[in-house]
């Protein structure tokens, strides 16, 4: 099973799938903000990073960029957002983000 890091505050849709993913046998860790996520990435292997776009300290795209550029970090990076703009899409392309989900469509099936 996968080692998954979910980054976001308690209001994000990503948190609603944490129990589902853990129930499927995945090891799921959670971080509240971008700075905490960077620390969590260094605390053990992460196969999948699921991050909210809007985070305190560092946004999800910057977290993804830092994770992507370090080869010891996740090969798959998913971003979750309530909104998505062209400017964010351009930034995401250079950050190594594999896919973006709107919060309204996020569930364990789509992951």
């Amino acid at each position: 099973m996968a080692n998954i890091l979910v980054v976001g505050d308690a209001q994000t849709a990503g948190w609603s799938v944490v129990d589902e993913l853990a129930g499927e046998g995945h090891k799921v860790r959670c971080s509240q903000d971008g700075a905490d996520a960077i620390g969590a990435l260094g605390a053990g292997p992460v196969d999948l990073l699921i991050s909210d776009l809007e985070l305190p300290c560092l946004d999800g795209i910057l977290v993804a960029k830092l994770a992507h550029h370090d080869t010891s970090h996740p090969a798959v990076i998913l971003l979750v957002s309530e909104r998505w703009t062209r400017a964010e899409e351009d930034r995401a392309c250079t950050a190594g983000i594999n896919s973006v989900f709107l919060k309204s469509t996020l569930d364990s099936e789509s992951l």
Side-chain angles (χ1 to χ4, degrees), residues 42-104:
V46 176
D47 303 309
L48 170 62
L49 170 64
I50 304 170
S51 180
D52 193 352
L53 170 63
E54 296 177 354
L55 298 169
C57 303
L58 304 170
D59 74 11
I61 295 175
L62 185 53
V63 170
K65 186 174 187 174
L66 293 170
H68 178 72
H69 286 38
D70 184 333
T71 58
S72 65
H73 291 311
V76 178
I77 301 171
L78 306 179
L79 195 67
V80 180
S81 179
E82 287 184 0
R83 59 175 175 74
W84 192 242
T85 67
R86 178 70 179 170
E88 289 157 341
E89 184 176 341
D90 292 343
R91 286 181 60 217
C93 287
T94 62
I97 294 169
N98 298 90
S99 191
V100 177
F101 291 91
L102 293 177
K103 288 182 181 181
S104 61

